[in-house]
Amino acid sequence: MNSATVRNLLVRGMLAGLGAGVLALVVAYVLGEPSVNSAIGFEEAHSHEHEMEVVSRTLQSTAGLATGVLVYGVAFGGIAALAFCFALGRVGRFGPRATALLLSGTALLAVYVVPFLKYPANPPSVGAPDTIGKRTTLYFLMMVLSVLLAVAATQLGKRLALGLGTWWATVVAVAAFVVVIGLAYQFLPVVNEVPKDFPAALLWRFRLSALAVQAVLWGGFGLLFGELAERQLHPAPARASSGHTVPASN
């Protein structure tokens, strides 16, 4: 790809990330915010300390939530677009739409789902304040390890495909990924700071909503960016007013 094509795909990736961010914002507000409010209510009912509210809860759940989700969508959309430029044609004979969906699905799995299964998202009032640094470090360590192993598994599958064929090479690469991730789950420290009287149903709903937000974000990005990339790389021929096909100019 030349620099102009990469630049155009980067812009389209950021736009697709913004669109996917809007969809994720709706899910976060409808599914996530009720659980957050319930968790805050639990925390206030069980805390004897009253801290001054610097930012109102209303602002946090509206403008604050929108800013965070949309900025996240645009940033990751741009990064995913650059990864798409590298992956297209290198991970199989897939077109732009299929490559975008494959990339977004892999990113969802490696960047979020795998770390989530070891260190799941927790609502307010769950977790000790003095362990925030440790928990954050462990989560990002798990995320980086997952991404690196996903890249390594992809390279392993490509090398094995020459001798085993695509199907068995993929099976072996996925199995190797699962085994190493399982070892990481086993040896990395366990974090369990959920209060004993915290409602299990509330914790479950919060974690499901967090997973749903990410699934909508990355799934929406894959569909939107795949369509935009397809139109950029394989533009449909223009049609003259007479109805005859006119080749698209490059």
Side-chain angles (χ1 to χ4, degrees), residues 163-247:
L164 299 179
T166 303
W167 171 256
W168 286 111
T170 302
V171 170
V172 172
V174 171
F177 176 82
V178 171
V179 168
V180 179
I181 286 295
L183 291 174
Y185 282 2
Q186 183 67 29
F187 288 105
L188 284 175
V190 175
V191 176
N192 184 13
E193 298 181 352
V194 180
K196 293 182 179 180
D197 54 347
F198 192 87
L202 174 57
L203 181 64
W204 178 247
R205 288 198 305 270
F206 178 86
R207 289 177 173 174
L208 280 182
S209 65
L211 186 59
V213 169
Q214 293 293 327
V216 169
L217 178 67
W218 285 105
F221 171 80
L223 292 172
L224 292 173
F225 180 68
E227 184 62 29
L228 293 176
E230 180 76 24
R231 295 186 181 188
Q232 167 69 23
L233 298 174
H234 300 143
R239 293 186 177 275
S241 58
S242 60
H244 298 290
T245 301
V246 178

Side-chain angles (χ1 to χ4, degrees), residues 8 95-96 114 207:
N8 289 334
V114 171
R207 289 177 173 174

Side-chain angles (χ1 to χ4, degrees), residues 54-203:
V54 179
V55 180
S56 69
R57 177 66 191 135
T58 301
L59 184 60
Q60 292 176 16
S61 62
T62 53
L65 178 65
T67 301
V69 173
L70 296 181
V71 170
Y72 178 88
V74 171
F76 272 80
I79 295 172
L82 294 177
F84 170 88
C85 294
F86 176 81
L88 185 63
R90 292 186 172 93
V91 294
R93 297 179 180 179
F94 301 109
R97 291 192 184 100
T99 301
L101 280 175
L102 179 62
L103 179 66
S104 60
T106 303
L108 173 65
L109 178 68
V111 176
Y112 190 78
V113 174
V114 171
F116 177 89
L117 292 177
K118 176 64 177 177
Y119 301 115
N122 286 325
S125 76
V126 173
D130 55 349
T131 63
I132 291 178
K134 176 185 176 181
R135 288 184 279 122
T136 303
T137 300
L138 288 173
Y139 180 85
F140 277 100
L141 176 62
M142 189 71 243
M143 184 176 68
V144 171
L145 181 62
S146 175
V147 172
L148 292 178
L149 288 175
V151 173
T154 302
Q155 295 300 317
L156 176 64
K158 290 177 63 177
R159 290 180 179 273
L160 294 178
L162 298 176
L164 299 179
T166 303
W167 171 256
W168 286 111
T170 302
V171 170
V172 172
V174 171
F177 176 82
V178 171
V179 168
V180 179
I181 286 295
L183 291 174
Y185 282 2
Q186 183 67 29
F187 288 105
L188 284 175
V190 175
V191 176
N192 184 13
E193 298 181 352
V194 180
K196 293 182 179 180
D197 54 347
F198 192 87
L202 174 57
L203 181 64

Side-chain angles (χ1 to χ4, degrees), residues 40-61:
I40 291 175
F42 174 88
E43 184 177 30
E44 292 176 346
H46 291 76
S47 177
H48 301 290
E49 299 179 0
H50 298 281
E51 298 181 0
M52 182 171 44
E53 192 176 51
V54 179
V55 180
S56 69
R57 177 66 191 135
T58 301
L59 184 60
Q60 292 176 16
S61 62

